[in-house]
Amino acid sequence: GGVRVTPQLLKASTGEFALESILLLRLRGRGIAHLGCLGDCANLEWLDLSGNAIAQLGPLAALKSLAVLNLSRNRVASLEPLGSCRNLQSLNVAGNLLSGLHQLRCLTGLRRLESLRLRDPLARLANPLCAAPAYRAALADMFPGLKAIDGERVSGRGSELYQLCRDLDSSLGRGGGAAGTEPPRAAQPWVEAGFWEPRPPRHSSVVEEAHRQFGEVLQECRELSRRADDTIAQAERALSGRPDPNSYVF
């Protein structure tokens, strides 16, 4: 049982005629059990499959451009196919059936992975492996490039500034002996050549979605600000003792 992902479902959800044109896809809480043709969305960058009944991830192995993947609240017990998603940056698998850290080794080759969520206390979601003592420390060792685990920043690790300071500390502490006992070394640049060069802009549906969400929040803030101004103005009129001739308070 359960819903299967079909070209018709994808086209109806996105309004796109060609599956290759889909860059961003929300399929939250649709009762999906089978991923079907999802692997044909070759250029997909952002995918939300949370709150379904998915156990097998096979078709996701074809998504080489995928950067953000939300699989929270499903029935996933193996992440093996995700080892092929070489552009994956953020992965949420809270609320699944992952039972041991060994099941995450398939992700260690993902060089761009920065955020990994196995547990979400606010939503009361976890995985069986989260019961292991110090599993977050073990994850940090297994994935030295991670910047966030379970939504919390990994202290020190993955931080360019931290790395820069550590390199500086070690270079300052190298002298050790009396002055003049070591030949002077040629000064080395702190960062690699070209570090400060502007990178060419890249079209990204993830960035577009972030801009869209920011715009919505901004609109809400403006509306709240307008309402607050109206309320303050009314309160000032009421306190001034000079009632507005256009308003009657009983």
Side-chain angles (χ1 to χ4, degrees):
V3 175
R4 176 179 289 274
V5 176
T6 62
Q8 292 75 20
L9 184 149
L10 292 173
K11 289 172 184 177
S13 298
T14 62
E16 298 284 356
F17 290 104
L19 300 188
E20 296 82 20
S21 301
I22 301 173
L23 301 180
L24 185 147
L25 184 58
R26 282 192 192 87
L27 294 172
R28 181 182 300 177
R30 299 285 196 93
I32 295 166
H34 309 283
L35 294 180
C37 68
L38 196 54
D40 294 336
C41 301
N43 297 307
L44 197 60
E45 295 182 4
W46 193 97
L47 175 60
D48 185 353
L49 289 168
S50 60
N52 286 291
I54 299 159
Q56 303 297 328
L57 302 180
L60 300 185
L63 304 180
K64 307 301 182 190
S65 298
L66 193 62
V68 177
L69 174 59
N70 186 346
L71 282 166
S72 62
R73 297 194 311 281
N74 277 282
R75 300 173 186 170
V76 177
S78 170
L79 301 176
E80 208 69 40
L82 301 185
S84 302
C85 301
R86 56 175 177 258
N87 275 305
L88 199 59
Q89 295 173 25
S90 175
L91 174 62
N92 183 349
V93 286
N96 281 279
L97 305 174
L98 300 166
S99 58
L101 285 168
H102 63 278
Q103 292 178 300
L104 301 173
R105 287 204 187 105
C106 57
L107 306 178
T108 53
L110 300 177
R111 298 286 170 237
R112 298 191 176 186
L113 191 63
E114 292 186 351
S115 173
L116 180 57
R117 185 184 278 280
L118 292 162
R119 184 170 167 267
D120 187 344
L122 289 177
R124 297 183 180 177
L125 299 174
N127 281 269
L129 69 84
C130 298
Y135 83 92
R136 290 184 77 247
L139 271 185
D141 286 337
M142 191 184 290
F143 297 95
L146 281 184
K147 295 184 178 178
I149 295 175
D150 296 344
E152 295 180 21
R153 186 169 178 81
V154 181
S155 59
R157 290 175 182 272
S159 162
E160 293 83 356
L161 182 61
Y162 171 81
Q163 187 64 40
L164 188 63
C165 292
R166 198 173 67 169
D167 290 348
L168 184 59
D169 284 344
S170 63
S171 66
L172 289 173
R174 266 203 298 260
T181 57
E182 207 174 295
R185 292 193 175 110
Q188 297 297 315
W190 278 15
V191 294
E192 295 173 10
F195 182 85
W196 301 110
E197 293 297 317
R199 290 183 181 147
R202 179 174 174 269
H203 173 76
S204 166
S205 63
V206 179
V207 174
E208 284 180 5
E209 173 65 8
H211 275 299
R212 190 191 67 74
Q213 291 183 10
F214 178 72
E216 287 178 359
V217 171
L218 203 58
Q219 193 62 37
E220 287 177 15
C221 290
R222 285 180 180 140
E223 178 62 20
L224 286 170
S225 176
R226 188 187 64 75
R227 289 184 197 168
D229 288 343
D230 289 348
T231 304
I232 290 168
Q234 286 174 16
E236 285 175 344
R237 282 199 298 271
L239 291 169
S240 70
R242 295 191 302 276
D244 186 336
N246 297 320
S247 72
Y248 297 91
V249 182
F250 296 97

